[in-house]
Amino acid sequence: APGSTSGEQPAYPPMPPPPPFQYETQGAAAAEATPPSSLLTAVRLMYVGAAMFAILLIVEFAQRGQLRDQIADDQPQLSADELDAAVAVGTAVAVIIGLISVGLWIWMAVMNRKGRSWARVVATVLGGLNIVFTLIGLTQNTGIGTIVNVVSIVLAAAILWLLYRPESSAYYAAMSGSPR
């Protein structure tokens, strides 16, 4: 009987020890995983993209005079006040889009370096859209604009290729705990 000291064995066998705990998702092993060089290169290129958009933002802001001349040529009926307002709106829109672009590049770099699978999907969608819209923009730009567009396409394509390299995919799988 339980609690007796007669030396009798209990009627039930002892329970085996529990199996060792396995880290299936983002455990210690995943936290210590180092991103592969392909992913680190993609992240560096994302920072290059952020820098490129920051430079374009500064250039756009510095070229307000050219924007004013272009609007005046396209819409000669505008008064001076209307022209000033159009330039202000155009500059504000360019600054907002530029800041959002820089922020997205940096956010994607940080999240992809951490191996977030959703970030690779978002980067893929944004990269694909970048390629499509930049190809459309190639027909409208000349000179430095064409060079920037070509660099943007090459940058986006290289990043996407690097994000989907086998070693990058293995890292994303390890960080998410999903099978490779």
Side-chain angles (χ1 to χ4, degrees):
S4 70
T5 58
S6 65
E8 295 178 19
Q9 294 290 340
Y12 48 87
M15 290 186 59
F21 185 74
Q22 298 292 317
Y23 289 99
E24 294 296 326
T25 61
Q26 295 187 7
E32 296 173 6
T34 302
S37 62
S38 59
L39 183 60
L40 292 175
T41 301
V43 167
R44 285 183 199 107
L45 291 176
M46 288 178 195
Y47 285 120
V48 168
M52 185 175 77
F53 271 86
I55 291 167
L56 288 174
L57 177 63
I58 293 166
V59 168
E60 184 75 30
F61 192 74
Q63 294 180 339
R64 286 178 303 180
Q66 289 177 348
L67 177 61
R68 180 182 185 81
D69 294 343
Q70 182 182 0
I71 294 172
D73 289 344
D74 292 344
Q75 299 180 18
Q77 77 280 3
L78 294 179
S79 70
D81 288 341
E82 291 171 329
L83 185 57
D84 289 341
V87 170
V89 168
T91 302
V93 167
V95 167
I96 290 168
I97 290 172
L99 290 174
I100 290 171
S101 297
V102 170
L104 283 172
W105 278 104
I106 292 170
W107 182 49
M108 286 294 94
V110 169
M111 291 297 113
N112 277 285
R113 187 180 193 297
K114 290 180 179 181
R116 303 293 194 262
S117 294
W118 63 263
R120 181 165 69 163
V121 172
V122 172
T124 301
V125 170
L126 293 174
L129 289 171
N130 181 21
I131 291 170
V132 168
F133 288 122
T134 303
L135 284 171
I136 292 168
L138 276 174
T139 63
Q140 300 170 356
N141 286 328
T142 60
I144 193 75
T146 300
I147 294 169
V148 169
N149 282 342
V150 170
V151 169
S152 180
I153 290 170
V154 170
L155 188 64
I159 290 168
L160 292 176
W161 181 75
L162 290 164
L163 289 179
Y164 285 92
R165 298 283 306 140
E167 59 275 18
S168 295
S169 293
Y171 177 71
Y172 284 107
M175 295 306 288
S176 69
S178 62
R180 294 178 189 144

